[in-house]
Amino acid sequence: MKAYRVTGSYDDPRQKQQAFSVEMAAEDEAAVKEKALSTIGSKHKLKRWQITIAKVEEIPAGEVTNHVVKYQIGE
């Protein structure tokens, strides 16, 4: 598995847009996009079209801050 950082925004009823940045572990970019849409959508009760992913970047193991992602990539 590889570590990725997903950044983007989603529609928030109280504000115009709410920015987010999350670290996830997955096999490839397509899998991490799917996982991000699923996780953020279920956590904030949003549809997929309400979430905009701006950037998906692979990050080296030394830059990972999330302990769960560190464990998943074997760090």
Side-chain angles (χ1 to χ4, degrees):
M1 293 196 123
K2 299 176 187 173
Y4 292 92
R5 182 173 293 124
V6 182
T7 56
S9 62
Y10 60 86
D11 296 336
D12 188 3
R14 296 170 296 225
Q15 303 171 356
K16 280 287 196 189
Q17 291 284 311
Q18 178 66 44
F20 69 87
S21 176
V22 65
E23 294 177 352
M24 295 184 164
E27 293 295 327
D28 58 358
E29 284 191 25
V32 81
K33 283 182 183 179
E34 179 70 25
K35 191 173 181 180
L37 289 172
S38 175
T39 303
I40 294 167
S42 69
K43 195 176 283 189
H44 298 284
K45 294 184 175 42
L46 299 170
K47 302 292 184 194
R48 290 174 180 257
W49 58 268
Q50 294 174 304
I51 303 168
T52 304
I53 295 177
K55 182 171 49 168
V56 176
E57 58 185 344
E58 186 176 347
I59 55 176
E63 290 184 21
V64 177
T65 58
N66 188 329
H67 297 292
V68 175
V69 175
K70 280 186 180 182
Y71 178 76
Q72 289 174 338
I73 64 172
E75 183 65 21

